[in-house]
Amino acid sequence: MAGGTVRSKQIAVGKVVKNSGVKPGARNPLTPERVAAILNILAKTYPGVVCALNHRNAWELTVATILSAQCTDVRVNLVTPALFKAFPTPKAMAAASLPEIEELIRTTGFFRNKAKSIQGAARIVTEEFGGKIPKTMEEILRLPGVARKTANVVLGSWYGIAFGVVVDTHVMRLTRRLELTKETKPEKIERDLMKIIPEDQWINFSHELIHHGRQVCIARKPRCIDCTLEKLCNSDDKTWTSHPA
Ligand code: SF4
């Protein structure tokens, strides 16, 4: 892609700049046209994209999402087959001892806390929800180790219910770089996104953005030269630009 230039950093060394991922200016980055353009490009770039965590039902997806905290999806996918072979149902998992669960999930990190969450969730699902993950945000949030992100993953990816937008570390970083929010807390970012993104695109949007964050708009050195959103992006984090400021 000849003709581009490396964008010079505009943040002074040692200077703390609030919302440093976004260029200041009077331009409105939230026009419906710009948001629609971002959504269209993402949909074309990642057609048919789905959740990267392997699962066969809502329970397995819930457990996999709990395990994915501070861990890669690849690592989680290596661990879950043996875990679900040993304890195939919430009832079996509820009856398992903590050391048994810990041993099987050790390599995902924070395994003691995760084992407690999984065992606790299994007990509630078995005793209060008839062995099935419920279909409402309010009920899913009763499970230990399950916050809004996990609930949105399960509701959206398994049940197809768009209750909110999944906001993980990739969605947080990319939505700030793309100036779709200035917030830093997941709940506030989600609220901003729910205002500007049509409800029927909430589920796909987060899948696509998470893929884009893993493959192109990576945290340390985004591959802007390969980015299909580059023309719409004005982030100071850019490593290459076709439209110098
Ligand atoms: S241009 Fe660069 S910073 Fe902007 S979205 Fe693409 S990869 Fe990320």
Side-chain angles (χ1 to χ4, degrees):
M1 296 174 75
T5 60
V6 175
R7 178 183 287 260
S8 61
K9 287 282 172 198
Q10 296 171 357
I11 300 168
V13 175
K15 190 176 170 192
V16 177
V17 179
K18 198 167 181 248
N19 294 329
S20 61
V22 175
K23 265 186 74 61
R27 195 178 45 80
N28 177 11
L30 298 177
T31 60
E33 295 75 21
R34 181 173 183 273
V35 173
I38 290 173
L39 295 175
N40 286 337
I41 290 170
L42 282 172
K44 276 188 194 145
T45 310
Y46 303 102
V49 75
V50 290
C51 179
L53 292 167
N54 295 339
H55 60 279
R56 294 170 296 185
N57 53 52
W59 164 248
E60 290 190 358
L61 180 55
T62 305
V63 173
T65 311
I66 290 172
L67 291 174
S68 72
Q70 309 289 320
C71 180
T72 64
D73 290 353
V74 173
R75 166 63 49 195
V76 173
N77 288 339
L78 287 173
V79 160
T80 44
L83 179 66
F84 296 131
K85 189 170 181 212
F87 308 111
T89 62
K91 193 174 175 190
M93 195 77 83
S97 72
L98 279 178
E100 284 175 313
I101 301 173
E102 285 170 5
E103 196 48 42
L104 286 163
I105 65 168
R106 184 175 287 269
T107 57
T108 66
F110 303 98
F111 63 93
R112 290 211 166 84
N113 279 343
K114 288 178 182 177
K116 264 189 216 142
S117 296
I118 291 168
Q119 188 198 55
R123 286 181 178 164
I124 293 180
V125 167
T126 306
E127 289 162 18
E128 299 183 33
F129 298 124
K132 290 204 162 43
I133 294 290
K135 290 186 181 174
T136 68
M137 173 66 75
E138 198 186 353
E139 289 171 308
I140 296 182
L141 287 180
R142 292 198 42 223
L143 307 178
V146 173
R148 215 181 143 87
K149 184 198 88 175
T150 302
N152 271 327
V153 167
V154 177
L155 287 171
S157 289
W158 186 260
Y159 291 126
I161 299 170
F163 192 89
V165 178
V166 173
V167 178
D168 75 344
T169 178
H170 299 291
V171 175
M172 286 173 74
R173 182 177 71 255
L174 268 68
T175 52
R176 281 170 54 81
R177 282 179 173 172
L178 290 167
E179 302 168 278
L180 300 179
T181 184
K182 289 182 177 175
E183 299 292 349
T184 53
K185 295 204 164 46
E187 299 77 23
K188 289 187 173 173
I189 292 174
E190 184 182 358
R191 215 174 301 149
D192 278 354
L193 297 176
M194 287 166 75
K195 276 187 224 150
I196 57 169
I197 295 169
E199 191 176 329
D200 62 358
Q201 297 187 50
W202 289 354
I203 298 171
N204 282 349
F205 171 74
S206 42
H207 284 319
E208 291 156 6
L209 218 54
I210 289 166
H211 271 69
H212 196 60
R214 286 202 181 109
Q215 293 171 16
V216 181
C217 192
I218 46 187
R220 291 204 176 172
K221 206 173 172 198
R223 293 171 37 214
C224 306
I225 201 162
D226 298 321
C227 178
T228 50
L229 295 169
E230 191 277 325
K231 284 192 169 54
L232 291 165
C233 180
N234 295 289
S235 170
D236 277 338
D237 292 344
K238 284 176 81 169
T239 54
W240 181 91
T241 186
S242 62
H243 52 284

